[in-house]
Amino acid sequence: MTKTETLPIKDSSDVVFVRQRVRVWATEMKLSLVDQTKLVTAASELGRNTLEHGGGGQLEISEVVNGLRKGIKLTFSDKGPGIPDIKLALTDGYTSRQGMGLGLGGSKRLMNEFEIQSAPGEGTTVTVIRWK
């Protein structure tokens, strides 16, 4: 049975808690300090996106196993307005707000696997995996 934890993302204190829980998971799985930092940084960006662009949602953290490899999977989901142009949203420098525009693209580069599903009016789900 794989371990799973679901966390709400309803306000900025939840984004802080998401960071803390992801760090605990990364530490317990004995990820290197560099991989922990990459995972927590991506979780922070994606958690903030879930709150600011999706109007809040949730994070599901789970352990994944593929043969001898183990990793941590983060699935951020919201029921917000969705992303009309995913390719554009992944472009560095693109921002729909006042940010630096590194959130989605930067998160993608920090992770080993990155998948985004979104449709206007239906919300967004971003799933990322960091392998040990």
Side-chain angles (χ1 to χ4, degrees):
M1 175 86 187
T2 17
K3 191 169 107 171
T4 300
E5 179 177 2
T6 302
L7 304 171
I9 302 175
K10 293 186 171 67
D11 58 41
S12 57
S13 67
D14 289 336
V15 176
V16 172
F17 188 64
V18 158
R19 287 175 55 105
Q20 292 168 342
R21 291 302 302 151
V22 168
R23 182 165 305 280
V24 167
W25 274 68
T27 304
E28 287 176 356
M29 289 204 50
K30 297 182 175 36
L31 264 62
S32 70
L33 189 55
V34 169
D35 284 346
Q36 287 180 36
T37 302
K38 287 178 178 181
L39 189 66
V40 171
T41 300
S44 181
E45 287 294 328
L46 296 170
R48 189 168 26 259
N49 282 354
T50 300
L51 179 62
E52 292 180 5
H53 301 289
Q58 69 176 26
L59 163 63
E60 182 181 279
I61 310 171
S62 56
E63 180 181 10
V64 286
V65 179
N66 182 352
L68 297 175
R69 290 196 313 174
K70 285 189 175 182
I72 297 176
K73 178 168 83 169
L74 307 177
T75 303
F76 292 86
S77 55
D78 66 61
K79 300 291 183 205
I83 301 170
D85 186 339
I86 292 172
K87 187 175 179 187
L88 178 63
L90 286 168
T91 306
D92 283 347
Y94 173 79
T95 179
S96 60
R97 300 259 169 109
Q98 267 62 79
M100 295 189 309
L102 298 173
L104 281 178
S107 296
K108 182 177 182 178
R109 284 190 300 278
L110 291 170
M111 305 308 289
N112 300 119
E113 295 184 28
F114 181 97
E115 180 186 335
I116 184 166
Q117 296 177 317
S118 186
E122 294 181 20
T124 301
T125 299
V126 178
T127 304
V128 296
I129 297 176
R130 186 78 210 174
W131 294 105
K132 183 173 173 184

